[in-house]
């Protein structure tokens, strides 16, 4: 069951920029990259409002996996940590998911690649609320298991939606307390964060 969350990001700095909401997948063990999931441009002393549902997707597309590259989704299919948690990715004329089932580990999302995957600039991962979260290089005959425990982070700077983020990016953790679905995070004038 998906849930709706809201985040207000307050820019108390004297400059305009872009808030970037993204997620880190701790289950990837340092492989792959987080993507700029949701971005909002804001002027100085203004607030950006983010709203999303925790509805998951399996995603695949062409991309050189490096910070700054932009992931373009070419195949996407709905996923669910309980009932649709396993998908097989093939690469016929273009990458596509087949055979989505409940055969994966409950609470996780698993992508299995078949022998047709060439690893030639193809990336795969998961998305939420219709946009990709994080991806890894797709290689033939592999399984990629992704946690569905969200690890939200917020950064400020210059970002494009779907942009692969540098792992050393300065950001702050955004943790929603139990049974709270709305939160405010402030970027203070000195560059520090208040959650």
């Amino acid at each position: 069951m998906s849930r709706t969350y809201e985040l207000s990001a307050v820019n108390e700095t004297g400059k305009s920029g872009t808030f970037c909401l993204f997620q880190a997948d701790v289950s990837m063990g340092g492989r792959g990259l987080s993507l700029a999931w949701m971005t909002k441009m804001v002027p100085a002393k203004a607030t950006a409002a983010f709203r999303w549902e925790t509805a998951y997707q399996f995603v695949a597309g062409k991309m050189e996996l490096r910070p700054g590259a932009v992931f373009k989704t070419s195949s996407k299919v709905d996923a669910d940590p309980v009932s649709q948690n396993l998908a097989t990715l093939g690469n016929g004329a273009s990458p596509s998911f087949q055979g989505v089932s409940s055969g994966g580990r409950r609470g996780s999302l698993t992508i299995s690649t078949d022998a047709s995957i060439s690893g030639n600039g193809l990336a795969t991962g998961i998305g939420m609320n219709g946009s990709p979260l994080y991806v890894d290089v797709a290689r033939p005959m592999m399984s990629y298991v992704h946690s569905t425990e969200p690890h939200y982070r917020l950064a400020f700077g210059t970002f494009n939606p779907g942009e692969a983020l540098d792992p050393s990016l300065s950001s702050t953790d955004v943790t929603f307390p139990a049974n709270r679905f709305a939160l405010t995070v402030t970027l203070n004038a000195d560059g520090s964060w208040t959650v």
Side-chain angles (χ1 to χ4, degrees):
M1 176 177 117
S2 70
R3 214 176 268 286
T4 301
Y5 286 85
E6 296 179 1
L7 176 70
S8 295
V10 182
N11 176 11
E12 288 293 332
T13 70
K15 60 183 178 181
S16 62
T18 301
F19 279 114
C20 172
L21 184 61
F22 66 101
Q23 293 190 40
D25 183 359
V26 296
S27 66
M28 288 176 66
R31 297 181 339 265
L33 291 172
S34 293
L35 304 175
W37 173 45
M38 300 174 87
T39 61
K40 299 266 182 163
M41 292 185 65
V42 291
K45 308 292 185 183
T47 300
F50 295 94
R51 181 181 170 96
W52 67 95
E53 291 188 18
T54 56
Y56 289 96
Q57 299 84 38
F58 294 109
V59 298
K62 294 286 185 176
M63 173 188 191
E64 180 184 344
L65 198 66
R66 62 170 174 73
V70 176
F71 177 78
K72 299 287 188 194
T73 303
S74 59
S75 183
K76 176 171 57 174
V77 64
D78 289 339
D80 179 89
V82 176
S83 62
Q84 294 178 296
N85 57 15
L86 173 66
T88 301
L89 177 64
N91 193 19
S94 63
S96 62
F97 290 101
Q98 307 101 19
V100 178
S101 72
S102 62
R105 186 169 63 209
R106 189 176 177 93
S108 297
L109 297 175
T110 302
I111 299 166
S112 293
T113 56
D114 68 18
S116 69
I117 299 297
S118 66
N120 194 11
L122 183 62
T124 189
I126 66 171
M128 180 188 283
N129 200 58
S131 297
L133 293 173
Y134 30 75
V135 294
D136 195 359
V137 173
R139 293 181 175 86
M141 306 305 292
M142 297 284 293
S143 285
Y144 301 85
V145 180
H146 297 279
S147 169
T148 56
E149 182 68 33
H151 294 276
Y152 301 109
R153 299 200 55 86
L154 188 66
F156 185 77
T158 304
F159 304 97
N160 294 305
E163 177 182 341
L165 302 174
D166 190 313
S168 66
L169 174 68
S170 177
S171 61
T172 190
D173 282 313
V174 177
T175 303
F176 287 83
N179 299 315
R180 256 185 84 195
F181 307 104
L183 203 59
T184 298
V185 177
T186 302
L187 177 58
N188 302 305
D190 65 359
S192 64
W193 296 90
T194 303
V195 180

